[in-house]
Amino acid sequence: MRRYLAIALDCYLCLLAAGLLTRPYVHAAETGRAVVLTALPALALSFVNQVLLTAAVRGSAGKLIMGVRVVGLPDARRPGLGQLVRRWLYGLVRPPLQPWYWLRPQPARTCVPRSTSGQPGNPQPGIAQPECPRPSSVADDDVAGLRQVRRGDLRTYRRSVAAHASA
């Protein structure tokens, strides 16, 4: 939930700043120019927020407010500039294609019931069976090899890695 609130906050802050920057010029321009005058600064501010600020402090403005950090996988390292640019470009392209993802037919999921011994077979009556494993989805995986984590979880992970390395 924090991730989505951070994204919404980033979008709101970017559009608000772009609107405030271009307000004096929009009234003097015609409608077509007004859209361009607002869109270009919004893209520039989005790049600064999502790429440069994240490279400097591991999070955009919305993520910092919500207590979320962006880390590289698998070792929670600082994200690289190339990864951040790729992630930003993917974020610009994916939302317009979102209806296409909803219209695609989803593959059918089948689940083989397991017996109490863990082998495929007939389950025993009265014993709760585990659910089918949840398949990985595009929403869970980041294309640039980055993940958004809570700041407290990142601190705990680093402490456990340091304790394990010293032992």
Side-chain angles (χ1 to χ4, degrees):
M1 185 67 157
R2 285 184 186 207
R3 280 181 10 180
Y4 298 117
L5 289 173
I7 291 168
L9 191 56
D10 279 334
C11 186
Y12 174 75
L13 291 173
C14 180
L15 291 175
L16 178 69
L20 290 174
L21 286 174
T22 59
R23 184 175 182 195
Y25 308 106
V26 170
H27 294 295
E30 60 210 36
T31 306
R33 271 200 176 146
V35 171
V36 173
L37 280 175
T38 306
L40 291 178
L43 282 174
L45 288 170
S46 173
F47 181 82
V48 168
N49 186 30
Q50 296 292 330
V51 177
L52 301 179
L53 188 61
T54 301
V57 293
R58 290 190 181 214
S60 61
K63 288 175 187 62
L64 293 174
I65 291 169
M66 295 305 297
V68 176
R69 297 294 183 262
V70 178
V71 296
L73 295 177
D75 54 359
R77 68 189 185 284
R78 185 173 290 278
L81 197 60
Q83 288 177 309
L84 293 171
V85 170
R86 193 171 348 151
R87 183 171 179 257
W88 177 71
L89 289 172
Y90 180 73
L92 291 177
V93 172
R94 183 158 189 232
L97 296 177
Q98 198 66 31
W100 168 253
Y101 293 124
W102 293 332
L103 294 175
R104 288 186 313 182
Q106 298 297 320
R109 287 180 39 189
T110 58
C111 187
V112 177
R114 299 207 175 263
S115 66
T116 54
S117 65
Q119 300 298 324
N122 294 328
Q124 294 181 0
I127 298 177
Q129 296 299 312
E131 295 181 15
C132 295
R134 188 172 150 249
S136 175
S137 67
V138 176
D140 292 339
D141 299 330
D142 196 3
V143 294
L146 301 174
R147 183 77 62 181
Q148 297 177 29
V149 296
R150 288 186 294 195
R151 184 177 54 213
D153 293 342
L154 184 59
R155 273 190 251 134
T156 303
Y157 171 77
R158 287 191 181 137
R159 281 190 211 127
S160 68
V161 167
H164 182 67
S166 66

